[in-house]
Amino acid sequence: MSNPGLVLIGVLVLAVGTFSLRIAGPLLRTRFELPARMEKVMAAAAVVLLAALVATAALTDGHGAAGIARPAGVLVGGVLALRKVPFILVVVAAAATAAGLRLVGVR
């Protein structure tokens, strides 16, 4: 990474690739008709992927378990989000829960 020009070229190539992938969806959606069942599967897949991401981030830390504080914070955030509390309050409550538990010695 000592060559700034090479890094810049790499960033530009990745930016073009990312933009191309993002714009391909809206442009190609009008050309293909997906069956209704496939659209349901894709919607369910998005929820499953998001749940897996949350579970992985909340329950693991490196190669081990994250402890109790972080999952408790995520649980508080999830409950508040389900109750349709404003997003900023969800984030603050989740962070405060995890920080409070760590403050009292719960990891």
Side-chain angles (χ1 to χ4, degrees), residues 83-105:
R83 297 184 63 99
K84 306 221 184 264
V85 173
F87 181 70
I88 187 70
L89 294 179
V90 170
V91 172
V92 169
T97 300
L101 287 173
R102 288 180 180 151
L103 186 65
V104 297

Side-chain angles (χ1 to χ4, degrees), residues 18-71:
T18 301
F19 181 76
S20 299
L21 284 174
R22 292 184 67 108
I23 198 70
L27 291 177
L28 294 177
R29 183 166 175 85
T30 59
R31 295 181 183 211
F32 296 103
E33 185 75 25
L34 290 176
R37 183 172 181 205
M38 181 59 77
E39 288 189 10
K40 287 182 181 178
V41 168
M42 291 177 72
V47 172
V48 169
L49 284 173
L50 185 59
L53 178 65
V54 168
T56 303
L59 300 175
T60 62
D61 187 18
H63 294 287
I68 300 296
R70 189 187 310 168

Side-chain angles (χ1 to χ4, degrees), residues 1-16:
M1 292 295 155
S2 61
N3 188 349
L6 189 59
V7 172
L8 180 62
I9 290 172
V11 168
L12 290 174
V13 167
L14 290 174
V16 168

